[in-house]
Amino acid sequence: MQPKLAINIGRLKLKNPVMVASGTFGYAEEFKDFIDLKQLGAIVTKTITLAPRKGNPPPRTCEAPAGMLNSIGLENPGLDVFLEEKMGYLNNLGVPIIVSIASECGAEEFLILAKRLDRVKDVAAIELNISCPNIKGLRVKGKVIRENAERLISQDAKATYQLVKAVRRVTGKTLITKLSPNVTDISEIALAAEAAGSDCVALINTLIGMSVDTKTRRPKIAAVTAGLSGPAIRPVAVRMCWEVYQKIKIPIIGMGGIMDTSSALEFFIAGSSAISVGTANFINPRATIEIIGGIKEYLRKENIPDIKKLTGSIKL
Amino acid sequence: MIKVFQAKAKIIYNKRVTDNYFQAAVMSAEISRVALPGQFVNIRVVDTNDVLLRRPFSIHRVEGEKIIFLYEVKGKGTEILSQRKEGEYLDIIGPLGNGFDLNWQTGKLANRQTILVAGGMGVAPLVFLAERLVRVEGVRCKVEEKIKPLVLIGAKTKTQVLCENEFKKSGCEVKVATDDGSRGFKGWVTDLLDRHVCEGGHIGPPLQRIIYACGPAPMLKALAQIAGRNNIDAVGSLEAHMACGIGSCMGCVVKVARAQPQAGDDFEYKRVCKEGPVFDLKQIIW
């Protein structure tokens, strides 16, 4: 028996449910020596903003127990350079390309980005990164909701609803909303994204963390606080997938510390329709391909004909 | 673009050299064939979540299919690496980074002096560089026509002066500086460099000097200032915490002056793992 791995997210058809998490795979070319990129279910680009961003001062990363902290600050070349220099390579791969977008300034930038990307045929879907913990500012519809806000759009159900709704109006592309775990109740935010017309939610982004060098008494990351990722956050991520799965009808892309097949399977069983490999790409650039093979083998062994049957199949 | 490999490399040996310094050799036919001085390899020191990220190590030497590393045990990652045994396998990715440009400054060799400046662990990539430099330059000119490359080694104390013999064997002149004065010049290696550059000690037409360096950031910063003052070209290999090592995470950046500064925008971040680790030291904004 050849188990079925194909899934749909909105209008997007994936040949398998294994993707890469934004920011951990560059623009894919960096990984071409290690894996056959064509085998991936989808590629999510590093987040793009309208103008180029230099990102945060170094040090930007450090190791944490079973994980890592990062505060890159969305360094990226901006939309124009991305489309001119990076999109061509991605197009030729024959893998659905999901472009992650973000803004520090407001909904207008999201709308401009979405409108521009809507016209690019080879963009399969748009991921709204409203949960990056390493940039400041929360503004919706040009109105500053909170002066020097430390809150992210995805930390506010109403702001999430308004942003997703506004983007939904300007694009017919599949919309994925990426959620932050740094909230009291993530399903409330997921419900807001669903109500506003998001085709899917991706969870989780990194947990906000901090590490201190006791010798110098300085934070290990120049930006002081940073996003924690890796196996350390996996149980939190699986729990959130499970909570959200019970509340919403749109599919979930689960992620957070997936290192191998077994950790990927946890997410499907807890309610994810697809998964993204993030930090593991840094440690084992072959992780995605190994997981695709591993899932197939698991389904065969367990006599599960279709990956869709695994989603939410947890026995309580 | 040179291909990068991920390989399971067998450990041939892994032994203490002195104090906390270790040397290890692993077999990798692919990587050893293409590796250049100044490039590095990213090593998964152990396959557990305990030490999660790979650790970057510059290539100390290449011997046939063997890749040799020289490293200091100073954290959990290197501690675990030092306990890995002969016959075991290490998951390594390489060769990574740009490496030193061996064809850099290929002007008239007879009137030129290459100076290698190493601080502490900074000797590691410079031994590989010295071997290749001598070979490359040896082909280009008769040995007697050129001035021997000069190596300046800096260490805290005499027991930590590394690789002196390796440099001599490859045909370099070696001078040593120790912080405590237990060997050679007492003081920093950059003070020794400053003295050498100022004194000259050379009769004949003025020398064209070029510097290749590797060592801690404060040393490279001081060196960049000396090079600037004396109008000497200097490149150096930088160290940084890395997550991926292959240019995808943007984690290991350094601030570099823009070649063409625009209004209000005079620097850019460059990745140590990709655009580096070797940079023009005078362009680095410390």
Side-chain angles (χ1 to χ4, degrees):
Chain A
M1 179 196 69
Q2 197 57 258
K4 290 195 183 105
L5 289 186
I7 58 147
N8 295 339
I9 292 174
R11 285 161 46 193
L12 179 60
K13 291 184 193 330
L14 306 184
K15 62 178 176 295
N16 71 61
V18 177
M19 354 199 315
V20 292
S22 177
T24 65
F25 210 66
Y27 305 101
E29 205 170 350
E30 295 86 344
F31 285 81
K32 71 174 187 319
D33 284 347
F34 305 108
I35 57 170
D36 177 11
L37 294 163
K38 289 185 174 57
Q39 290 186 39
L40 295 173
I43 291 171
V44 186
T45 68
K46 177 150 180 65
T47 297
I48 302 297
T49 50
L50 195 52
R53 278 180 69 92
K54 282 189 172 169
N56 292 340
R60 291 175 171 183
T61 65
C62 75
E63 181 146 338
M68 65 174 282
L69 285 170
N70 90 80
S71 180
I72 308 298
L74 299 186
E75 175 171 349
N76 79 92
L79 181 67
D80 290 334
V81 175
F82 166 74
L83 290 175
E84 276 161 36
E85 294 178 12
K86 310 285 183 190
M87 201 57 204
Y89 180 82
L90 291 166
N91 281 347
N92 289 333
L93 294 174
V95 169
I97 302 302
I98 300 169
V99 180
S100 168
I101 59 172
S103 167
E104 196 168 31
C105 329
E108 289 88 348
E109 187 176 344
F110 272 106
L111 295 180
I112 297 166
L113 285 161
K115 277 183 202 162
R116 293 268 312 269
L117 291 170
D118 188 65
R119 296 200 295 265
V120 182
K121 190 179 125 276
D122 294 296
V123 171
I126 297 172
E127 179 170 283
L128 300 172
N129 180 3
I130 54 170
S131 48
C132 173
N134 300 324
I135 56 170
K136 290 199 172 94
L138 159 60
R139 297 167 187 220
V140 175
K141 287 192 172 176
K143 209 173 96 193
V144 180
I145 286 183
R146 202 174 287 238
E147 213 63 58
N148 291 319
E150 295 286 331
R151 282 180 81 185
L152 308 162
I153 296 173
S154 63
Q155 285 174 320
D156 185 317
K158 198 174 158 206
T160 301
Y161 179 85
Q162 287 173 344
L163 192 275
V164 176
K165 188 93 185 163
V167 177
R168 180 74 289 172
R169 279 197 206 103
V170 301
T171 179
K173 300 256 189 212
T174 296
L175 268 190
I176 300 166
T177 307
K178 182 134 175 203
L179 305 184
S180 169
N182 305 294
V183 290
T184 318
D185 179 7
I186 193 168
S187 48
E188 187 187 302
I189 315 290
L191 280 165
E194 181 181 44
S198 190
D199 295 297
C200 167
V201 285
L203 55 126
I204 57 175
N205 207 318
T206 54
L207 280 151
I208 301 173
M210 179 170 164
S211 263
V212 179
D213 182 330
T214 51
K215 212 169 149 193
T216 60
R217 286 203 234 168
R218 299 172 79 90
K220 286 189 183 169
I221 302 289
V224 186
T225 61
L228 178 65
S229 65
I233 71 166
R234 190 190 308 144
V236 177
V238 172
R239 182 264 293 180
M240 288 185 162
C241 281
W242 167 237
E243 280 180 1
V244 170
Y245 177 71
Q246 296 170 83
K247 296 276 174 66
I248 65 170
K249 298 206 166 50
I250 54 174
I252 297 167
I253 303 170
M255 70 196 78
I258 294 175
M259 299 301 286
D260 49 25
T261 302
S262 135
S263 45
L265 291 168
E266 280 194 62
F267 281 83
F268 286 103
I269 296 166
S272 303
S273 296
I275 57 106
S276 277
V277 177
T279 300
N281 291 314
F282 300 152
I283 296 143
N284 174 17
R286 297 191 44 78
T288 44
I289 301 301
E290 289 170 8
I291 290 169
I292 294 167
I295 291 174
K296 234 184 261 175
E297 203 186 306
Y298 172 86
L299 294 178
R300 213 177 289 138
K301 264 193 195 151
E302 298 292 317
N303 254 320
I304 303 168
D306 192 326
I307 184 71
K308 293 190 202 90
K309 295 254 186 290
L310 195 62
T311 297
S313 65
I314 190 155
K315 297 177 181 169
L316 298 169
Chain B
M1 277 298 252
I2 296 171
K3 197 175 149 67
V4 177
F5 301 92
Q6 181 178 13
K8 294 270 180 237
K10 192 175 187 175
I11 302 172
I12 308 301
Y13 63 78
N14 186 16
K15 60 187 186 199
R16 186 188 294 270
V17 181
T18 170
D19 288 7
N20 258 345
Y21 298 100
F22 283 72
Q23 188 168 314
V26 300
M27 289 297 268
S28 170
E30 303 104 328
I31 299 174
S32 58
R33 195 160 45 231
V34 291
L36 298 168
Q39 287 190 306
F40 68 95
V41 164
N42 217 2
I43 302 181
R44 185 91 214 266
V45 297
V46 65
D47 192 23
T48 67
N49 291 339
D50 209 23
V51 175
L52 191 68
L53 298 173
R54 288 170 182 269
R55 299 291 194 265
F57 295 90
S58 61
I59 298 170
H60 176 48
R61 290 186 61 222
V62 170
E63 232 178 58
E65 293 189 345
K66 279 206 286 270
I67 302 168
I68 299 165
F69 309 103
L70 186 65
Y71 62 97
E72 182 185 4
V73 173
K74 56 182 201 184
K76 207 163 160 189
T78 43
E79 175 75 48
I80 289 174
L81 180 62
S82 73
Q83 290 155 8
R84 298 297 305 269
K85 301 268 179 299
E86 179 189 326
E88 293 178 353
Y89 287 81
L90 284 176
D91 179 343
I92 69 175
I93 292 177
L96 297 167
N98 57 355
F100 291 105
D101 184 357
L102 291 172
N103 298 313
W104 179 52
Q105 295 273 347
T106 50
K108 214 174 155 202
L109 287 159
N111 204 26
R112 181 181 102 188
Q113 184 174 38
T114 307
I115 306 175
L116 275 54
V117 184
M121 224 31 263
V123 292
L126 295 184
V127 169
F128 190 12
L129 174 69
E131 288 175 354
R132 290 283 169 98
L133 264 184
V134 171
R135 202 200 292 170
V136 169
E137 296 193 354
V139 173
R140 289 209 197 103
C141 67
K142 287 183 204 145
V143 177
E144 62 265 28
E145 275 178 9
K146 79 177 173 74
I147 300 154
K148 275 187 178 181
L150 172 66
V151 181
L152 306 180
I153 303 175
K156 284 200 184 82
T157 185
K158 65 177 177 186
T159 53
Q160 294 181 6
V161 176
L162 300 165
C163 304
E164 200 179 344
N165 287 333
E166 281 90 334
F167 284 118
K168 282 181 179 161
K169 251 187 266 171
S170 50
C172 303
E173 186 191 342
V174 180
K175 287 184 181 174
V176 172
T178 50
D179 294 356
D180 62 3
S182 54
R183 270 286 313 275
F185 176 83
K186 183 177 191 296
W188 290 348
V189 70
T190 43
D191 296 334
L192 179 61
L193 172 72
D194 204 12
R195 179 175 287 203
H196 174 83
V197 167
C198 293
E199 283 175 359
H202 166 76
I203 303 154
L207 278 178
Q208 185 209 345
R209 296 186 174 93
I210 56 172
I211 297 174
Y212 293 92
C214 186
M219 178 200 112
L220 295 177
K221 183 182 175 183
L223 191 147
Q225 284 162 355
I226 295 166
R229 271 202 308 274
N230 295 282
N231 205 17
I232 303 172
D233 286 320
V235 293
S237 178
L238 268 57
E239 219 179 13
H241 281 289
M242 290 179 189
C244 74
I246 56 173
S248 73
C249 76
M250 319 303 281
C252 61
V253 298
V254 283
K255 223 175 182 176
V256 179
R258 268 188 191 282
Q260 282 131 4
Q262 295 144 15
D265 185 15
D266 53 356
F267 78 90
E268 56 195 329
Y269 286 123
K270 289 195 172 174
R271 296 166 293 186
V272 172
C273 75
K274 198 84 180 179
E275 286 83 34
V278 179
F279 290 95
D280 177 348
L281 290 177
K282 285 187 270 185
Q283 297 304 311
I284 302 287
I285 300 170
W286 303 94

